[in-house]
Each structure stands twice: as structure tokens, then as C-alpha cells.
Amino acid sequence: MKMNEKIALLRRRSGWSQEQLAEWMNVSRQTVSKWESGRATPATEHIVHLSRLFGVTTDHLLLDEQTPPSEPAEEAPVRRITESDTYRFAVRCQIESRRYALACASLPVAPAIFFLACGASALVSEDVSGALCAMGFFFAVIALLLGLNELLCSWLGSNERRLNDGQPCVLNPEALSWAADAWRASQLRLQKRTSAALAVALLAAMAFVLCLGVSMAGGSDFWIGAALGLPCLLLSVAVYLRARAARMDRCYRYLIQKAREATAG
């Protein structure tokens, strides 16, 4: 069995579509289609990623004489979580962390859209300025509602991923070791992104002072809109960086907590 046939078979066994696999692999659906049809070969890092997602060795994917392992006939009442399971869980959490971070960033983006649109209206004719402000208000409300909806679902727990769908499970030693290493790495990323977020927030404060000073020195309404909108736009970048790193840190903390509960039990 060729590697492209194994990828297609393992994907179907996992119940995933080509779009889902492409999203988890951070590639396009067309790339996955080329892998499965044999028109393209995955790169080395993609092969390692695929082996972890499917829970097989790289030899199973690379060697033609190897076939994918058959599925177990039945599972134990308490499922044992392997390193592959924790890796797939982390990949899915990483995808959802982007959605969560974008939702958080949409809160300062919404007023930024409105303020910048109103500021830009000072540069056009009176006939167009009103429509431009109305469009800015409309898109600001849309961005705000979409962000609030995602955050509300997150706070209610309806879109937060649970290990083994919340069913009883026990982490294998190698899974616990992988989760602990990943958590330590996420702590470093959290510190770096927090520092970057603070730097962007400081830049936003400086932009506000600069634009406000220009507007008070006799500038037009454009500079007033820039003084209010540009800092909000920069703050959204800071919020995105901090929220995404914090979400992934929460994911790994959850894995460690599940392992401790299993050990205590």
C-alpha cells in the first residue's frame, strides 16, 4: 500500500474530511487532495505531523510494505490517552485558540472601524461623509456581535474542547510527559507574547498622544478619528497575541489537571 493510499484510509477511519485534515495540518484542501491522489508527497515535517495525528509511526506512512494498524475490536471502559491523542487534542485547541483570540481582538477593532471611518469622512465630500460614517457603524456592530457571540460560547463552554469528549480517561506516561513538555514551552510563549502585547499597547498609547496633539494643534476631524481609532487597532493586535497564548496555556493546564486527577484516583 502506497503512502497516499494510507493517508486517505487513515483519514477516513478517523472520520475526518479533507478540509478538516487540511486545517489541522495548516495546509490547503487541494494539498491534501494531491497527497491522497499521489500527485504530491508530504514534506518531512508534514509526515511527522501526520503520524502524530493518526497515531502511527512514520514507517507506517513511508514504507510501502507496511499497512495501517487495524482498529481495536473494542475499547476499555476507561480509555487510555496516548501521546498521539494529546497531540491531536493540542492541535485542535490551537485552531480554536485562533478563533478565541480573533473574538477578543474584535472588541477593540469594532470602535476602531467606526472612529477611522468617521475620521476618513472629513476627507470626502459632505454627500459621501454621512454614508461613510454609517458604513463604519454597521461594520463595527457586525464585528462586535461576532466577537461577543464567540466569547459567549466560550464562557458557556459550548465550544471548548474536552479530552475524550469529557468521558473518563487516563493519560499514559508518555502522554503525560509530552503534555508537561508542551506546557513548559507554552509558558515561554505566553511570556514572550505578553511582552509583545505590552510593547504594542505602549505603541498604541504613543499613537494616541501623537494624534491627539496634532488634532489639538489645529488638525481636522481626521486626526481626531485617527487619535481614537489607531490606538484601538493596535490594542486589538496586543489582545490577539495575549489571548491566543493564554488559551493554549489553558489547554495544556487542562491536560496536566486530567493527569493529576487520574493519579489521585
Side-chain angles (χ1 to χ4, degrees):
M1 181 178 287
K2 303 286 186 182
M3 180 168 60
N4 62 307
E5 297 173 336
K6 295 177 186 178
I7 294 174
L9 178 60
L10 288 168
R11 176 183 61 78
R12 289 193 295 268
R13 280 186 179 177
S14 301
W16 302 335
S17 64
Q18 287 186 344
E19 289 80 2
Q20 288 174 316
L21 181 58
E23 187 177 13
W24 296 338
M25 292 292 298
N26 198 23
V27 297
S28 65
R29 188 199 64 79
Q30 289 77 12
T31 300
V32 174
S33 178
K34 289 180 180 179
W35 290 348
E36 295 186 355
S37 63
R39 289 178 293 165
T41 303
T44 303
E45 61 270 18
H46 289 149
I47 293 175
V48 174
H49 198 159
L50 286 168
S51 69
R52 288 179 172 177
L53 281 175
F54 293 138
V56 298
T57 64
T58 54
D59 286 343
H60 277 295
L61 295 175
L62 293 171
L63 301 180
D64 291 346
E65 66 272 17
Q66 295 286 340
T67 57
S70 58
E71 294 180 324
E74 58 182 28
E75 293 186 356
V78 178
R79 182 183 175 190
R80 300 197 66 85
I81 301 300
T82 64
E83 181 181 359
S84 175
D85 294 324
T86 55
Y87 183 78
R88 279 187 282 184
F89 175 80
V91 169
R92 296 177 186 180
C93 286
Q94 187 174 17
I95 295 170
E96 292 171 358
S97 72
R98 288 198 291 264
R99 293 175 50 192
Y100 174 77
L102 286 173
C104 293
S106 68
L107 300 183
V109 161
I113 293 174
F114 177 69
F115 291 138
L116 291 175
C118 291
S121 66
L123 304 178
V124 297
S125 63
E126 295 183 359
D127 297 336
V128 182
S129 62
L132 190 59
C133 288
M135 288 178 60
F137 178 78
F138 173 77
F139 286 113
V141 170
I142 293 298
L144 186 62
L145 290 178
L146 290 176
L148 288 176
N149 176 70
E150 181 68 23
L151 289 176
L152 181 61
C153 292
S154 176
W155 289 332
L156 293 177
S158 60
N159 67 344
E160 188 173 359
R161 188 160 295 281
R162 291 285 184 266
L163 190 62
N164 197 31
D165 295 328
Q167 300 301 315
C169 59
V170 177
L171 268 70
N172 283 347
E174 72 276 5
L176 176 57
S177 176
W178 183 91
D181 292 340
W183 182 45
R184 283 191 290 269
S186 74
Q187 290 276 295
L188 295 176
R189 285 194 297 270
L190 180 61
Q191 294 175 3
K192 291 179 181 179
R193 293 196 176 186
T194 299
S195 300
L198 291 175
V200 175
L202 180 61
L203 182 62
M206 293 173 61
F208 173 74
V209 173
L210 179 62
C211 295
L212 185 61
V214 173
S215 63
M216 292 180 64
S220 63
D221 292 340
F222 169 78
W223 288 106
I224 297 177
L228 297 174
L230 184 59
C232 292
L233 202 59
L234 292 173
L235 281 175
S236 68
V237 177
V239 170
Y240 176 86
L241 292 173
R242 181 65 173 79
R244 185 174 177 185
R247 188 72 167 192
M248 285 306 299
D249 182 71
R250 180 176 176 176
C251 161
Y252 294 121
R253 284 178 182 270
Y254 172 75
L255 286 173
I256 299 297
Q257 178 187 355
K258 294 297 292 184
R260 289 173 177 172
E261 289 176 357
T263 303

